[in-house]
Amino acid sequence: MRLTRDQHFFGPGPKRILALDGGGVRGAISVAFLAEMERLLQRKYPDARLGDWFDLVGGTSTGAIIAGALALGASTQEIEEFYRQRARRVFRGSLSRIPGLRSRFDAAALTEEIRRVVGERTLDSPDLITGFALVAKRLDTGSPWIVSNNPRAPYWEAHAGRKRIGNREYRLSELIRASAAAPYFFDPEPISVHESQPTIPFVDGGVTPHNNPAFALFMMSHLRAYNICWPTGTEKLTIVSVGTGSYERSSLPASAPTNPLALAYDALTTLMDNTQSQVLTLMQWLGESLTPWRINREIGSLDGDSPPGGPMFRFVRYDVRLEAEWLKENFDRRLSPLEISRLRDMARPESIPLAYEIGLQAARKQVRPEHFGLPADR
């Protein structure tokens, strides 16, 4: 069932998008959901990988690492092993890295581990078996960069006389490292975008409105500017969005003392929460949501709500709630408040085995083959 990149992008038939959130080591939760999806896929197609089944796989930050591996044909077992074996080396602190003066972790280890997966391939590599996209942020202009291996994209080729480097020439390792360059945690990634200019620093796509990249990928698949132009409709387009664990943050008293660095970090992380909530609202409203998630107390899950023209796609959201009550109902053992607090930390690799097990148990309850185009279980 293996198709080429261009067959995925431009061939006929229903199309499927897989969108993967950012979230640091909590990406292990996403991998658990993907493992269950792969298991169901291989019941019908024994040798298939998720990169064969989905026509566009995209992610932000840790989601970009996973998406890149899937687009290169990796199995979910290989990706799980990457998280279990390599995360401790990437998220290793040092007394010499003073908070506020230096990033918390040495980016060299992250760069090395990404290169171990993608090598020296560029964005136009034929080893990418399907459509692939990621989200990063260009620091000098402050603009989100949603970069893909779409050969019809406006900046795919270099233009004669302008000396701008074409997207096809970018190294995968640099793009993925840029998407995962979370401020405070890792230094920016310098990327050459113009032959006559110095490198430009890029940071994590999670500090754009697209930490959940589902809406960005939908726009890429449909807007005329990108020259993909997939038709819409619940039988023509399916979008599967996979999270890394969410939770409602406890509010602090207005009079609570705040450290300026802690205040800046909290403002950034809550902004990411706000944009993720907005994306989930848009996707559940624009699409036929097969797995409605509660947005907030005011609007609920939007179940049964849709835009005037009807739903534009079939939408599926998989995620877990890293909250005591939800975990009590959905996980087979009781977790302490300390364990839950550690699970929420995006940079605590020792939590990966527990995060993966929580994701796997949730996946067995949430994932159904008909959600992403397979025949329903009888």
Side-chain angles (χ1 to χ4, degrees):
M1 63 176 294
R2 180 148 293 176
L3 304 176
T4 66
R5 174 203 65 186
D6 287 1
Q7 286 173 318
H8 279 291
F9 268 130
F10 310 117
K15 297 299 181 181
R16 294 176 283 265
I17 296 174
L18 179 61
L20 305 172
D21 288 11
V25 298
R26 298 204 318 253
I29 294 171
S30 299
V31 177
F33 279 102
L34 297 173
E36 178 65 8
M37 293 169 64
E38 185 181 74
R39 184 187 72 82
L40 294 173
L41 177 64
Q42 290 180 348
R43 288 194 316 192
K44 185 169 179 62
Y45 304 104
D47 298 324
R49 304 288 175 87
L50 292 176
D52 296 311
W53 188 248
F54 286 91
D55 300 289
L56 176 59
V57 181
T60 301
S61 193
T62 197
I65 296 174
I66 300 169
L70 292 176
L72 287 168
S75 69
T76 57
Q77 181 178 349
E78 290 172 317
I79 301 171
E80 179 198 350
E81 290 171 355
F82 173 86
Y83 273 80
R84 289 183 185 268
Q85 296 173 10
R86 304 297 175 184
R88 289 181 183 273
R89 184 166 181 268
V90 172
F91 292 95
R92 180 184 298 166
S94 170
L95 294 176
S96 67
R97 308 191 74 81
I98 303 171
L101 298 179
R102 300 184 67 186
S103 58
R104 184 175 169 186
F105 303 110
D106 184 358
L110 176 61
T111 300
E112 183 178 334
E113 296 304 332
I114 292 173
R115 284 180 178 164
R116 191 187 299 272
V117 175
V118 305
E120 296 301 313
R121 296 178 180 92
T122 55
L123 194 56
D124 69 347
S125 170
D127 294 334
L128 290 167
I129 63 175
T130 190
F132 167 65
L134 58 75
V135 183
K137 184 182 182 74
R138 180 171 167 166
L139 269 187
D140 63 333
T141 61
S143 55
W145 270 40
I146 306 168
V147 184
S148 79
N149 65 337
N150 167 22
R152 297 181 185 175
Y155 295 105
W156 181 249
E157 302 283 358
H159 290 284
R162 297 186 182 179
K163 296 186 178 181
R164 180 186 52 76
I165 297 172
N167 287 7
R168 67 183 307 164
E169 300 176 53
Y170 292 147
R171 291 182 184 272
L172 276 175
S173 59
E174 293 180 351
L175 291 173
I176 293 172
R177 223 291 274 165
S179 183
Y184 173 76
F185 291 110
F186 296 106
D187 290 336
E189 173 71 5
I191 296 179
S192 295
V193 302
H194 199 282
E195 292 179 6
S196 63
Q197 296 176 356
T199 58
I200 302 296
F202 284 77
V203 294
D204 196 309
V207 293
T208 73
H210 310 299
N211 192 56
N212 176 344
F215 186 64
L217 297 180
F218 167 62
M219 290 193 297
M220 175 178 285
S221 76
H222 187 62
L223 297 182
R224 284 182 294 175
Y226 295 104
N227 297 307
I228 299 174
C229 302
W230 289 343
T232 58
T234 57
E235 300 303 315
K236 297 177 181 178
L237 179 60
T238 298
I239 302 175
V240 178
S241 170
V242 186
T244 59
S246 58
Y247 59 94
E248 188 170 328
R249 297 178 186 273
S250 57
S251 57
L252 294 173
S255 59
T258 53
N259 174 283
L261 183 60
L263 181 62
Y265 177 78
D266 188 62
L268 181 61
T269 54
T270 52
L271 178 61
M272 290 170 62
D273 291 345
N274 298 156
T275 57
Q276 291 217 153
S277 178
Q278 181 71 4
V279 168
L280 192 55
T281 303
L282 283 170
M283 297 304 290
Q284 292 192 168
W285 181 59
L286 291 173
E288 177 187 66
S289 184
L290 304 186
T291 55
W293 278 80
R294 175 179 170 276
I295 305 298
N296 55 39
R297 295 186 185 93
E298 184 176 17
I299 62 175
S301 68
L302 299 176
D303 190 18
D305 211 341
S306 63
M312 301 180 72
F313 45 80
R314 179 182 291 120
F315 179 66
V316 179
R317 174 68 174 177
Y318 299 137
D319 204 359
V320 305
R321 298 285 295 179
L322 299 177
E323 297 171 346
E325 194 62 33
W326 192 96
L327 291 166
K328 181 180 177 181
E329 294 177 3
N330 293 275
F331 191 51
D332 64 6
R333 75 173 178 86
R334 192 177 188 87
L335 299 180
S336 69
L338 180 59
E339 286 178 304
I340 295 173
S341 176
R342 288 175 172 173
L343 278 168
R344 294 175 176 180
D345 192 333
M346 295 187 295
R348 190 178 286 274
E350 60 268 28
S351 296
I352 286 176
L354 178 57
Y356 184 82
E357 186 56 36
I358 290 170
L360 201 56
Q361 289 191 27
R364 289 167 183 159
K365 294 181 179 180
Q366 295 180 32
V367 179
R368 297 289 179 269
E370 63 270 24
H371 288 172
F372 52 104
L374 292 168
D377 286 333
R378 295 185 180 275

